[in-house]
Each structure stands twice: as C-alpha cells, then as structure tokens.
Amino acid sequence: MRRTVHFQAPERDAHGPASGQQQGQGQTRRPEPLRTEFGFELPRGYVDESGTVHRNGVMRLATARDELVPLRDDRVRENSAYLSVVLISRVVTRIGTVEDIHPGVIEDLFASDLAFLQDFYRRINAEGHTRAAVNCPSCQEEFTVDLAGGRLGES
C-alpha cells in the first residue's frame, strides 16, 4: 500500500508574514504541499515477460536511506556503475501495471530509458521539479518542457 505524504511548511516572504497567514484585505495564501511522487513516461518503455510495453510510471522522492543502502549491496561493491540500477529500483514505485520494481526490472530497461530515469531522479531530488529549459533548433526561441511525460503539443 502506497501513500503520498504532503508536508506543509510556512513559506516566508521577504516582505510579509508566513504563507497561510493574513496578507491584507482578508486574503490568505496557502503553501503548495510538497510533492513526493512524480509521474513519468519512458521514451521506449519496459517490456515485461509477456511482451507488454509499459511506459507510464511513478518515482518518489529519495530518502537518505535510499542513497545509503545501495552502498552496502555486494553488486555495487563489485561494480560501482550498478549503484544507479539499485538506487533507481528503490525510488520507482510503478512502471505501467508493474508494481514490484527491483533491480532486475531496471536491468531490463532499454539504455535510453535508464538514462531518462537517472536524469529524472536528479531533477526531482536535486532541483525539485521536472521542467527543463530548451531552445528550438530552428528559431532559437527558448521555452520550458516538462520531462514528466506527455506528447509534443500537449499541455
């Protein structure tokens, strides 16, 4: 059973009270809850034993334990490159209908999907969001895309 925990801490504004407190004229501003789970869409998808392709999934924020436990894993001690496989398997909670995510599942991903999940992990844990700034190769216009999934042209 999975649950999402929403933490709310008062946000302080340089010129005013903490969020959620009165801000003049009777307006109350509430802080957004901390997102602990992020949906994603794999570029290629995980192919299960029956040949079904699973592309949509969920990754949760990592804890300190998630980053420490893999360091005791014998596979990681023998090959440090395996660290990302064990770490990603700890924080991905679902890929399609597959909820038993373990290192074997992550090993069976296409390389492009593993690279996507590694970048996604870095974005949500280090940067706190799934957005990336990009430039159009034709017109050089700068815009933001959400790496959490969706098709081009969708909002």
Side-chain angles (χ1 to χ4, degrees):
M1 181 173 162
R2 302 247 183 248
R3 65 180 177 160
T4 301
V5 179
H6 298 282
F7 296 97
Q8 293 186 355
E11 295 178 7
R12 300 224 175 255
D13 185 287
H15 304 291
S19 297
Q21 296 178 359
Q22 291 296 74
Q23 300 213 345
Q25 303 298 329
Q27 295 178 348
T28 301
R29 186 176 64 164
R30 296 181 189 265
E32 289 187 30
L34 174 67
R35 282 183 66 188
T36 60
E37 293 186 331
F38 296 81
F40 61 82
E41 184 174 316
L42 294 173
R44 299 209 185 268
Y46 169 67
V47 182
D48 67 16
E49 295 171 354
S50 67
T52 304
V53 178
H54 305 270
R55 294 188 68 202
N56 295 315
V58 176
M59 181 183 289
R60 66 173 173 76
L61 287 176
T63 64
R65 176 169 297 180
D66 291 322
E67 295 200 348
L68 294 171
V69 167
L71 298 175
R72 295 190 303 238
D73 190 300
D74 289 337
R75 297 166 294 188
V76 173
R77 287 181 179 174
E78 291 175 17
N79 180 0
S80 62
Y82 201 73
L83 174 63
S84 66
V85 170
V86 176
L87 182 57
I88 295 296
S89 73
R90 290 182 61 88
V91 297
V92 171
T93 60
R94 180 181 59 78
I95 300 176
T97 59
V98 180
E99 292 185 354
D100 180 21
I101 307 299
H102 51 81
V105 171
I106 303 304
E107 287 175 350
D108 287 341
L109 290 173
F110 293 105
S112 58
D113 289 333
L114 177 59
F116 171 85
L117 289 175
Q118 290 169 327
D119 185 58
F120 194 70
Y121 175 92
R122 182 185 56 78
R123 287 187 179 279
I124 68 172
N125 286 286
E127 298 174 16
H129 60 80
T130 60
R131 296 175 309 279
V134 295
N135 287 340
C136 173
S138 299
C139 68
Q140 301 304 315
E141 182 176 340
E142 190 172 303
F143 59 98
T144 302
V145 296
D146 189 344
L147 298 177
R151 301 276 185 220
L152 288 176
E154 288 183 353
S155 39

